[in-house]
Amino acid sequence: MNFVECHEEPIHIPGHIQSFGYLIGIDAESHSITFFSRNISDIFTIESSDELFERKLTDFPESFQSIIDSDIYTSLNKFTRRENETYFDKIFIEGKEYHFSVFKSGRYIFLEFEKVLINPDKRISNKYDNFYAIDNEQDLWNHLLETLSKVVNYDRMMVYKFMMDGSGKVIAEKKDENRESFLGLHYPESDIPKQARELYLKKRKRIFSNIDAETVPIVSKTASEIDLTFSASRGMSPVHGQYLRNLGASSSFSVSIIIDDHLWGLVTCQNKEPKHIDLEDRVQAGIFTALAANAFSSFKSKNELNYRVELKEKLSRLKTDFLKHNYLFDSLIENKTEIKNLPEANGLAIVSDENIVTEGVTPTSAVVNSIAQWALENTEDPIYVSRSFLKHYGEELDLPKSAAGIIIYFIEREKNEMLIWFRKEFDEHIDWAGNPEKKIGVFHQNGEDRQMISPRTSFHIFTENIKGHSKRWNSRNIQAVQAIRDLILETSHKNYNTIKRLNDELKKVNEELDSFSYTISHDLGTPLTVMKLNAQMLLGNLAGDSEKSKNKINAIIEEIDNMAEMMQDVLQLSRAKHSELELENLGTANTIQKISENAKMTYGNSKSEVIIKECPDVLADKTMLHQVFLNIINNAVKYSSHKDQPKVEIEGTEDGQTIIYRISDNGIGIPEEDKHKMFKIFNRMDNAKKFKGNGVGLSIVHRIMKRIGGSVDYESNKEGTSFILTFKKPYI
């Protein structure tokens, strides 16, 4: 007699199907019949079933004409390219209507049939959006059961959630008044063993209409057993059948709850009497369950996002506090309360070699030291997590109840630097649906007796008290510890000093650049003025007939003016970066009007036209605002002045919380190949070199707009250029 553990039972190859189903298996390449259920002759007129083997359905048109004529069968090659995808149709056989399902698994195509049943008690419309209006987990699962009860209506309907160890718990229930409640009860992993959970992930709807009905054998001439994983009528395991009998059930129906591609749980339904659910109703139950799972995943993700935002805000404040100190452990000690609370711990120990600082409920320093030593010798990962530390190491380390659960983060192992979070013992008890201890029973399967784990005969509440554990550290707790780890790595003493040193060096370089800018614009201004005066005096002393000499001296004076203007622009650029700001609500109309008039006189020609439209107020610094419009309007007038009809348009518009000014001209435009260097200092476009300028103005504008919280952009083509200035909207 063979002994088989529950997880070893080959439930995917039972060798038979349930009596409500009919099955034909054909070879995926040749389409020849390879296996079938023995009851196939009950619905198809077949003289001898043995004559079906290695033949095609088309060889028996008088028997299988309804299948041959169906849309699914005529498109068989197209419909069965993907593994395990099921296609549905309805056909009439001998005047009776059947559901016809087709899917491909392995090298076979499965043709499955079952009678169409009319559900007179069905009381639901195809309204699928109710689930997304619910944002509470318990309400969601209760609503799912209430909805499904109008489709399938079993004596007892439950939502069963899988735990991390494979065990499960009933978290929602809808039942008849005379049925015992299982709400809140736990079930051991062996009730739904690993291979069963894998099948529930693959085949997401499972029905056993009558556990006491005769099974229907699969007839096959192949040596290998037929894998019925995806068959809707797959026969049930004898162990599962006995399990349902012990529960007082004759029928069951389940739908898998899949979240993030994992088997999160089941909707499991049980009925005292045999009961079959029509295929369409089973599909609809699957749709409702999938919608509930998606809704749950949606608001779970929303809650997770809110938590991450909240955690980020806390860490941002913590980072600010960390950077106030030059040494990491000063930062940790100063913020120990917040560090303890982030992963919802009862206590925290900050360990640095022999120094230990604690916060909250913790063991003594001697015990903390022992835990630290144990961790250095017995762990390798940077973060160690346990909720049963007291249970496993209580005697060895003489642990108090305050150290039932721990998380250890190693800051630097070599220096014995770590953080240890503690959780106290949780007085926990689990209510099981019957005693979870395993017992051995004998079952008859495939012609032989086997010893297997026997299902429980009683499901009355069995309470188990749990000692030596803390509350479970959840994913958010671990996430908080990892965030603290990242914060420490980012702001540790070593990194902090490096960043501080680089910042100091950068500040020093900037100060030297500012000093240089001031020097060339101020100190060099005096000798340039002297040079210009001497040149002008020399020009006045020249004889009237020395035209060539006068031209040369005028050229010198012009270059001196250009150099003085360039130095003034460099000084303006420096001021745009460092001068103090005073943002206020500013009107722009007068400023734009005056700048436009001066620009026409200075850079325009007699035909230059500046059209000023709406000029809404902006939030800016008064001096810098003038500088921005001065540079942009002067450029627009200057670079359009060579046109026959030079034209500049200025218009401001409101867009939400911003004010956008567009200054457009019909000038020379900006070549595509030069656009990447538009705002770089001293860069001038090739087509602009015939105009006076030094390439600093747009750099000033770019820097100013950035400082006042705005931006500058442009659009350009052969017809002209539009500069786009975006300001903040004024305060109301």
Side-chain angles (χ1 to χ4, degrees), residues 419-478:
L419 298 177
I420 308 176
W421 288 268
F422 296 96
R423 274 189 180 170
K424 56 189 178 183
E425 186 179 37
F426 180 55
D427 185 14
E428 184 178 18
H429 67 274
I430 295 178
D431 290 333
W432 295 96
N435 193 328
E437 287 186 7
K438 297 179 180 180
K439 294 183 179 180
I440 306 300
V442 178
F443 296 90
H444 186 77
Q445 187 179 44
N446 296 335
E448 63 176 323
D449 289 335
R450 296 188 177 192
Q451 284 188 327
M452 304 179 80
I453 299 299
S454 174
R456 299 187 304 286
T457 57
S458 171
F459 291 85
H460 292 296
I461 295 176
F462 177 87
T463 301
E464 179 184 11
N465 292 315
I466 307 296
K467 297 290 184 182
H469 292 74
S470 70
K471 283 186 177 180
R472 191 181 303 276
W473 302 100
N474 61 34
S475 60
R476 289 186 176 184
N477 304 145
I478 308 304

Side-chain angles (χ1 to χ4, degrees), residues 194-429:
K194 181 180 178 182
Q195 85 277 27
R197 297 195 298 274
E198 290 174 350
L199 284 184
Y200 279 122
L201 186 59
K202 295 176 181 178
K203 182 65 178 176
R204 300 184 180 185
K205 294 177 291 295
R206 191 82 173 101
I207 189 168
F208 298 112
S209 302
N210 185 351
I211 63 173
D212 294 316
E214 288 290 329
T215 59
V216 181
I218 299 296
V219 180
S220 171
K221 284 193 174 182
T222 61
S224 60
E225 296 173 297
I226 305 301
D227 185 343
L228 299 178
T229 293
F230 298 96
S231 169
S233 58
R234 171 167 46 91
M236 72 187 309
S237 138
V239 178
H240 187 57
Q242 188 59 49
Y243 181 90
L244 291 174
R245 290 186 189 95
N246 294 349
L247 273 169
S250 296
S251 176
S252 76
F253 172 58
S254 60
V255 184
S256 303
I257 300 173
I258 308 297
I259 296 177
D260 297 332
D261 296 325
H262 290 87
L263 183 65
W264 183 91
L266 297 171
V267 174
T268 180
C269 310
Q270 298 157 3
N271 210 64
K272 287 187 293 185
E273 302 297 329
K275 185 170 186 174
H276 184 66
I277 305 298
D278 184 73
L279 177 61
E280 283 189 358
D281 291 344
R282 302 199 309 265
V283 169
Q284 190 171 43
I287 292 172
F288 282 128
T289 302
L291 287 170
N294 289 340
F296 173 73
S297 180
S298 178
F299 76 71
K300 184 182 175 184
S301 298
K302 180 181 177 182
N303 290 341
E304 186 63 25
L305 179 61
N306 290 337
Y307 169 74
R308 292 189 179 187
V309 170
E310 184 181 337
L311 178 62
K312 187 175 181 180
E313 290 174 352
K314 290 179 179 178
L315 288 170
S316 180
R317 292 193 294 269
L318 204 57
K319 180 178 179 180
T320 301
D321 290 338
F322 267 40
L323 293 174
K324 292 177 182 177
H325 304 277
N326 288 330
Y327 296 96
L328 172 62
F329 278 87
D330 290 343
S331 302
L332 294 173
I333 293 168
E334 185 70 25
N335 296 279
K336 59 184 180 179
T337 302
E338 183 70 15
I339 295 171
K340 172 185 77 71
N341 292 338
L342 277 176
E344 300 175 316
N346 300 119
L348 170 73
I350 302 169
V351 181
S352 178
D353 201 12
E354 297 297 323
N355 300 315
I356 297 174
V357 177
T358 61
E359 173 71 9
V361 182
T362 65
T364 63
S365 294
V367 173
V368 172
N369 212 23
S370 299
I371 294 171
Q373 193 59 40
W374 174 91
L376 289 169
E377 295 172 358
N378 294 278
T379 64
E380 295 180 356
D381 296 330
I383 296 179
Y384 170 83
V385 182
S386 173
R387 67 169 298 227
S388 54
F389 197 67
L390 176 61
K391 177 183 178 181
H392 296 305
Y393 304 105
E395 287 190 25
E396 178 184 342
L397 300 175
D398 194 23
L399 299 175
K401 291 184 178 181
S402 60
I406 66 170
I407 298 179
I408 303 174
Y409 163 54
F410 295 92
I411 299 172
E412 203 165 344
R413 280 181 179 268
E414 293 75 12
K415 296 182 179 180
N416 191 29
E417 294 178 348
M418 66 187 78
L419 298 177
I420 308 176
W421 288 268
F422 296 96
R423 274 189 180 170
K424 56 189 178 183
E425 186 179 37
F426 180 55
D427 185 14
E428 184 178 18
H429 67 274

Side-chain angles (χ1 to χ4, degrees), residues 33-36 49-55 219-221:
I33 300 170
T34 308
F35 58 86
F36 48 85
S49 57
D50 287 343
E51 65 178 327
L52 296 178
F53 287 117
E54 306 305 328
R55 305 283 297 277
V219 180
S220 171
K221 284 193 174 182

Side-chain angles (χ1 to χ4, degrees), residues 504-707:
D504 288 342
E505 290 178 3
L506 185 59
K507 185 178 179 181
K508 185 178 179 181
V509 169
N510 279 330
E511 288 174 350
E512 290 174 354
L513 286 173
D514 289 341
S515 176
F516 173 73
S517 298
Y518 183 81
T519 298
I520 65 170
S521 61
H522 185 270
D523 293 355
L524 296 181
T526 301
L528 281 176
T529 301
V530 173
M531 290 170 61
K532 184 177 179 179
L533 288 173
N534 287 331
Q536 289 173 335
M537 290 174 62
L538 182 60
L539 183 62
N541 293 331
L542 285 175
D545 57 348
S546 303
E547 194 64 33
K548 187 175 181 181
S549 299
K550 287 181 180 180
N551 289 339
K552 288 183 179 180
I553 295 174
N554 280 325
I556 293 172
I557 293 172
E558 185 177 352
E559 288 302 319
I560 292 172
D561 287 337
N562 287 339
M563 186 175 291
E565 183 181 352
M566 183 180 293
M567 289 190 300
Q568 186 63 27
D569 286 341
V570 170
L571 181 60
Q572 290 287 351
L573 186 66
S574 178
R575 286 174 178 168
K577 182 179 179 183
H578 297 291
S579 61
E580 291 185 3
L581 287 177
E582 185 177 344
L583 297 182
E584 56 184 322
N585 295 348
L586 296 173
T588 61
N590 290 336
T591 300
I592 291 173
Q593 185 69 41
K594 290 178 180 178
I595 291 174
S596 299
E597 290 173 357
N598 291 336
K600 284 196 293 182
M601 289 189 291
T602 306
Y603 300 103
N605 63 41
S606 59
K607 296 181 181 180
S608 292
E609 180 183 16
V610 178
I611 301 171
I612 302 173
K613 298 182 179 180
E614 290 292 321
C615 294
D617 295 353
V618 299
L619 182 68
D621 176 271
K622 187 174 183 179
T623 303
M624 291 191 172
L625 179 69
H626 184 275
Q627 190 72 24
V628 165
F629 280 120
L630 181 68
N631 279 285
I632 296 297
I633 294 173
N634 281 350
N635 280 352
V637 173
K638 177 170 62 175
Y639 292 124
S640 62
S641 61
H642 290 185
K643 294 285 184 176
D644 293 334
Q645 296 291 331
K647 182 179 178 181
V648 175
E649 288 188 9
I650 303 169
E651 183 178 21
T653 57
E654 182 178 327
D655 184 9
Q657 296 303 308
T658 61
I659 301 296
I660 299 175
Y661 271 85
R662 181 179 286 265
I663 296 95
S664 305
D665 64 64
N666 62 345
I668 61 174
I670 300 168
E672 186 68 30
E673 63 272 14
D674 289 333
K675 289 186 177 182
H676 68 283
K677 56 183 180 180
M678 272 295 297
F679 299 110
K680 293 182 179 180
I681 190 171
F682 299 132
N683 273 302
R684 301 200 71 206
M685 310 304 113
D686 290 337
N687 64 340
K689 290 182 178 178
K690 56 187 175 182
F691 295 88
K692 184 180 179 182
N694 49 48
V696 179
L698 288 180
S699 298
I700 294 173
V701 171
H702 186 264
R703 183 165 291 178
I704 288 175
M705 294 304 294
K706 190 174 181 180
R707 284 206 68 200

